[in-house]
Amino acid sequence: MSQKQTKPAAATKAAPAKTAVATKSKKVVKKGEKKIKTRTLFNALYTKNVKNFGTGFGVQPKRDLTHFTHWPRYIKLQRQRRVLLKRLKVPPTINQFTRVFDKNTAVHLFKLLDKYRPEEASVKKARLLKIAEARAAAPKGTPAPKAEKPVQHLRHGIDAVTKLIEKKKAKLVIIAHDVDPVELVLYLPTLCRRMDVPYCIVKSKSRLGQLVHMRNAACLALTGVNAADQNELSLLVESAKQMFNNNTEHRKTWGGNTLSGPARAILAKRQKAEAKETLAKSKI
């Protein structure tokens, strides 16, 4: 019995040591006390707004995606052609089509041409129908009324314009600057100068096509105007002769032959290195 009583006594001696260690590591919170919450200080003017770009939330920021765009083939060809005309040496006969009427003169020209548009297909159909009804209503034996055809001062089509230039009936020839292939209108400036017919080059074939109710038109010829517009036509003819017919300088200037940006940077770097080398040699 004495041995059994000694074991609990040893256990009772070791128990206070464990409680002493526990009190050192943890603070004992009494029931009546409250926990103190630590707050982080921040400036209300510079709060962080976290955006959520998930479905149905914030809008994605705009990015430049032109590099990933699959452009149509005709746009690629247009850009490649434009780059080639800048890089290669362009002869004067083709380079003359880059020189066009200025904006102010072109506006006056198109305002004048808009007055002499040919009649539309619907208007022509109504006119012919009216004439046919008048002929059908006329009694037998009486002469049918003659059809009054409207005078067409604005002519289109390369063949028609060429014939008018050769006969010297055209008062002013208007050529588009972006005809493709350019060989279709390449001879017209030379022919106009030889026949002493004023000509001008404007932008673009789609604008000329709108005047004659077509999608595109390579060239137009104005054969005459009313007495009220004669003064305006004479001013346009004078500016066309000064800029195109009598201007021999732009007919001799070559076009293109301009290097790209990276090529110019390489040449500038090379010239800078050569200048530095010559300066070093001169100091020796």
Side-chain angles (χ1 to χ4, degrees):
M1 293 297 289
S2 62
Q3 290 178 358
K4 289 179 181 180
Q5 288 176 356
T6 54
K7 285 182 180 178
T12 52
K13 288 180 183 178
K18 287 183 181 179
T19 53
V21 175
T23 52
K24 287 181 182 178
S25 60
K26 292 183 180 180
K27 289 182 179 181
V28 180
V29 180
K30 296 179 181 179
K31 290 182 178 180
E33 292 182 1
K34 292 182 179 180
K35 289 184 179 180
I36 300 168
K37 294 181 180 179
T38 57
R39 294 182 180 180
T40 55
L41 297 173
F42 65 93
N43 192 348
L45 294 173
Y46 302 102
T47 55
K48 187 177 181 182
N49 296 325
V50 180
K51 291 186 179 181
N52 184 9
F53 295 115
T55 307
F57 293 97
V59 181
Q60 292 276 349
K62 290 185 178 180
R63 298 180 180 89
D64 187 13
L65 301 176
T66 52
H67 183 70
F68 303 100
T69 307
H70 183 71
W71 297 104
R73 187 169 177 271
Y74 77 96
I75 290 179
K76 289 181 181 178
L77 289 173
Q78 284 176 358
R79 292 175 178 178
Q80 290 168 359
R81 184 172 177 271
R82 194 183 305 142
V83 170
L84 278 175
L85 288 174
K86 287 180 181 178
R87 301 288 175 267
L88 303 176
K89 285 185 73 175
V90 182
T93 51
I94 297 174
N95 188 50
Q96 66 178 336
F97 288 95
T98 58
R99 186 185 178 92
V100 296
F101 256 159
D102 59 287
K103 187 179 179 181
N104 191 24
T105 313
V107 167
H108 289 293
L109 174 64
F110 279 98
K111 280 184 180 178
L112 177 66
L113 296 177
D114 192 51
K115 297 178 183 178
Y116 300 97
R117 282 187 174 192
E119 61 179 354
E120 296 181 10
S122 59
V123 178
K124 184 178 180 180
K125 185 179 179 181
R127 179 175 60 83
L128 294 176
L129 186 64
K130 190 176 180 181
I131 293 167
E133 288 174 354
R135 284 179 180 176
K140 292 182 179 180
T142 58
K146 292 183 179 181
E148 293 182 1
K149 192 176 181 180
V151 181
Q152 190 174 352
H153 292 296
L154 194 63
R155 303 292 300 274
H156 69 280
I158 294 172
D159 292 338
V161 171
T162 304
K163 288 177 183 177
L164 289 171
I165 294 169
E166 289 172 349
K167 293 177 183 178
K168 294 186 178 182
K169 290 184 178 180
K171 302 293 182 183
L172 181 63
V173 177
I174 305 100
I175 308 168
H177 85 293
D178 56 346
V179 180
D180 188 28
V182 73
E183 287 83 2
L184 293 172
V185 293
L186 201 61
Y187 64 93
L188 283 179
T190 308
L191 183 64
C192 288
R193 286 194 298 270
R194 182 167 292 181
M195 304 305 292
D196 197 21
V197 174
Y199 75 95
C200 62
I201 301 168
V202 296
K203 295 181 179 181
S204 62
K205 61 183 179 182
S206 60
R207 292 177 73 187
L208 295 183
Q210 288 177 358
L211 294 170
V212 291
H213 314 295
M214 295 180 70
R215 185 178 293 176
N216 295 319
C219 57
L220 301 177
L222 190 65
T223 55
V225 292
N226 298 329
D229 298 324
Q230 193 66 41
N231 187 24
E232 191 174 356
L233 178 64
S234 61
L235 292 174
L236 289 169
V237 166
E238 186 180 351
S239 60
K241 282 186 175 181
Q242 185 180 359
M243 190 172 180
F244 296 99
N245 288 66
N246 302 331
N247 194 349
T248 57
E249 291 182 2
H250 82 276
R251 282 186 270 140
K252 296 178 182 179
T253 55
W254 286 69
N257 201 20
T258 56
L259 297 173
S260 62
R264 288 198 298 269
I266 290 168
L267 286 175
K269 189 177 180 181
R270 195 179 296 166
Q271 289 173 359
K272 190 177 179 181
E274 288 176 359
K276 190 176 180 181
E277 189 178 350
T278 52
L279 185 66
K281 285 181 180 179
S282 63
K283 289 181 179 180
I284 296 172

